[in-house]
Amino acid sequence: MIKVCKFGGTSMADGNTIRRVAEILRADPARRYVVVSAPGKRFGGDVKVTDLLYAAHTELERTGACGESFRKACERFRSIVSELGLAFEIEELLAETEREIERERSVDFTASRGEYLAARIMAAFLEIPFIDARDVVKFRADGSLDGERTFTLTANALRGKRYAVVSGFYGEGADGKVRTFSRGGSDVSGAIVARAAGADLYENWTDVSGFLAADPRIVDDPERITALSYKELRELSYMGANVLHSDSIFPVREAEIPVLIKNTFRPEDEGTYILPTSKYHFTGKTVTGIAGKQNFTVIHIEKSLMNAEVGFAHRVLGVLLEHNISFEHMPSGIDTMSFVIDSECLKNGVLESLCEDIRKTVRPDGFRVFDDIALIAVVGHGMSRNVGTSAKLFNAIAKAGVNVRMIDQGSSELNIIVGVDNDQYSRTLRAAYEAFFLE
Ligand code: ASP
């Protein structure tokens, strides 16, 4: 059994949290490969090391040298080493890092040093080998991850090492320079290592005990999701549940390796499993989770005999393409078609010119635009097995006195999406939660 464990920034925040990490690792010998983030916030109002390093790069651009922010980042590493009581040449390493940052002058290189230093310290504390992500994680010239090369190099580096620490968040570009993933990218690094190690489980350790069935800022004390499928994760994370983003685990998703979200500060909590469909068993629940987002615009087009007009949708989509606008959903009827678009993309006159071009191109009989729409997604494989899911949902929403502006159900029967006015968002979410979880 091989487990790969990724620890996020709050788990790496200071000496105490790093000791917890070490305890977690020692508690299970299958936890063999460790991927770490840079130290995160220790308390509300604290600054993450990665943010200090981005600020350090800005200072470097301005003055030509590492300044105050870099010193603050160094201070974080000094105190971690002293809190751990480690005999570790931190001063030498920090001085060398400063020289390299000033020589490289790249924002990615500077930002990556948080993970690099954290992994070096972690490896020294655990007394196990360190693997520099730069040597094993490779990007192509277009910036995408070179998966095959990365998995092979990582697997080779792990071979013969019973335990190892790998730095998260970065790798090396085709030009030989350090490149980072986007923010939060250590999740991808962990998934890469899990895939390369042929892990049985990818444990993602964070500061929450997994996914909740609804947003706790809206629903009181929502249930914890014990298991969800990759597909459900995609639906829920796309709609705003942000513990772990589905895109960030593509290396393990492709290899069908299960993920377990765990809480470093409550390791006894069960956590949430994310499972490939082949390993996912129906939990008996109709709905796995509910999530939502606000601020969408709906463009509604009507034209009689639309169903018989070949190429109608093609022409409308062509206009969206010309304006470089992506849509989230496209509910349609025989003579109607609607596009749900993130309002953010339609600012500064974009909406007006898009509408004008659609009108000119397809000459609709009716054309309306609604904004301030919120979407609520009720997600679960279970709904394909249970009769009456939508009846239950719409009954609950009607009882809550909410007017439904739009309905969309994918043919996969994995979700039902309901559009309501923004100001009815919380009420709808609570009504949906109560209907499926507090029956
Ligand atoms: N340290 C990086 C960030 O703050 C990457 C990560 O933590 O995953 O975005």
Side-chain angles (χ1 to χ4, degrees):
M1 172 78 124
I2 298 180
K3 294 181 185 174
V4 168
C5 305
K6 179 255 166 176
F7 289 89
T10 39
S11 309
M12 296 296 296
D14 60 24
N16 276 334
T17 62
I18 292 177
R19 278 183 205 285
R20 277 178 183 273
V21 169
E23 255 169 55
I24 289 167
L25 292 170
R26 289 193 189 112
D28 182 351
R31 293 181 175 137
R32 291 183 31 194
Y33 304 121
V34 185
V35 176
V36 294
S37 282
K41 295 184 184 184
R42 294 158 292 182
F43 43 81
D46 196 15
V47 185
K48 293 169 91 174
V49 163
T50 308
D51 290 320
L52 289 173
L53 292 170
Y54 279 115
H57 178 73
T58 312
E59 288 165 11
L60 176 69
E61 296 261 89
R62 210 180 47 232
T63 64
C66 285
E68 189 49 29
S69 300
F70 180 70
R71 293 213 206 294
K72 283 189 185 154
C74 290
E75 217 26 68
R76 294 285 303 268
F77 289 109
R78 273 191 201 103
S79 27
I80 288 175
V81 168
S82 93
E83 282 158 15
L84 293 174
L86 256 187
F88 184 79
E89 295 301 333
I90 187 68
E91 291 311 327
E92 226 169 83
L93 193 57
L94 292 175
E96 187 188 317
T97 304
E98 180 167 356
R99 281 194 299 275
E100 282 177 337
I101 287 178
E102 290 180 355
R103 196 178 57 229
E104 296 278 333
R105 293 185 174 273
S106 106
V107 62
D108 282 18
F109 182 81
T110 308
S112 74
R113 296 304 88 185
E115 270 70 10
Y116 171 78
L117 293 167
R120 290 283 309 264
I121 294 171
M122 195 69 195
F125 186 57
L126 296 171
E127 299 179 331
I128 61 177
F130 160 72
I131 296 174
D132 191 344
R134 184 177 194 163
D135 300 333
V136 294
V137 175
K138 303 287 176 180
F139 295 94
R140 298 192 190 91
D142 66 3
S144 61
L145 179 75
D146 187 343
E148 283 318 307
R149 218 172 136 221
T150 295
F151 301 136
T152 310
L153 287 169
T154 310
N156 289 344
L158 297 176
R159 193 160 301 125
K161 296 187 179 65
R162 183 144 187 89
Y163 297 99
V165 178
V166 187
S167 41
F169 190 39
Y170 68 94
E172 189 182 69
D175 57 0
K177 302 228 174 270
V178 163
R179 268 194 58 104
T180 60
F181 289 104
S182 53
R183 295 298 305 263
S186 300
D187 287 332
V188 188
S189 313
I192 289 171
V193 175
R195 165 123 168 219
D200 301 280
L201 185 65
Y202 171 29
E203 288 185 344
N204 193 298
W205 290 82
T206 173
D207 53 6
V208 293
S209 301
F211 274 91
L212 297 173
D215 186 341
R217 288 167 301 186
I218 296 172
V219 170
D220 272 349
D221 199 17
E223 234 176 68
R224 186 158 336 278
I225 302 177
T226 51
L228 74 162
S229 72
Y230 280 126
K231 284 189 182 153
E232 289 171 330
L233 170 71
R234 159 101 179 107
E235 299 287 340
L236 290 169
S237 65
Y238 163 75
M239 282 299 268
N242 55 13
V243 177
L244 181 69
H245 209 277
S246 61
D247 297 347
S248 67
I249 49 168
F250 68 92
V252 289
R253 188 180 60 218
E254 285 167 9
E256 304 216 322
I257 296 169
V259 181
L260 176 59
I261 313 279
K262 291 280 283 178
N263 186 346
T264 301
F265 305 93
R266 294 179 59 97
E268 64 286 1
D269 285 358
E270 237 182 296
T272 300
Y273 275 97
I274 304 162
L275 300 169
T277 319
S278 60
K279 295 184 179 127
Y280 180 82
H281 300 294
F282 179 51
T283 55
K285 278 197 180 303
T286 310
V287 168
T288 304
I290 300 168
K293 281 205 262 191
Q294 287 172 285
N295 301 324
F296 290 95
T297 299
V298 179
I299 298 178
H300 178 80
I301 307 168
E302 267 181 59
K303 186 159 192 191
S304 63
L305 302 179
M306 182 190 288
N307 66 321
E309 187 177 327
V310 174
F312 186 91
H314 182 82
R315 284 196 290 281
V316 182
L317 292 172
V319 179
L320 288 169
L321 179 67
E322 266 166 39
H323 287 258
N324 197 23
I325 300 282
S326 69
F327 63 88
E328 314 289 318
H329 301 279
M330 190 180 83
S332 63
I334 2 173
D335 286 340
T336 63
M337 179 177 282
S338 301
F339 292 91
V340 182
I341 300 171
D342 184 343
S343 307
E344 201 46 43
C345 316
L346 297 172
K347 283 181 167 168
N348 305 325
V350 175
L351 176 65
E352 290 70 20
S353 83
L354 178 70
C355 291
E356 198 187 315
D357 286 354
I358 295 177
R359 278 211 198 89
K360 267 201 267 168
T361 312
V362 292
R363 305 202 171 282
D365 302 330
F367 190 88
R368 273 176 300 160
V369 175
F370 317 98
D371 49 16
D372 292 331
I373 297 288
L375 299 180
I376 287 112
V378 175
V379 177
H381 288 291
M383 64 179 70
S384 65
R385 302 174 181 241
N386 288 323
V387 174
T389 310
S390 44
K392 191 186 250 180
L393 174 64
F394 291 112
N395 211 346
I397 296 177
K399 270 209 194 121
V402 175
N403 179 27
V404 173
R405 305 287 302 267
M406 193 202 85
I407 301 168
D408 193 12
Q409 184 183 17
S411 47
S412 60
E413 280 192 78
L414 177 61
N415 62 11
I416 301 174
I417 292 171
V418 180
V420 299
D421 288 333
N422 264 345
D423 58 4
Q424 303 289 326
Y425 174 65
S426 304
R427 185 192 282 241
T428 313
L429 212 114
R430 278 195 286 269
Y433 181 82
E434 279 162 23
F436 292 103
F437 292 89
L438 303 177
E439 337 164 53

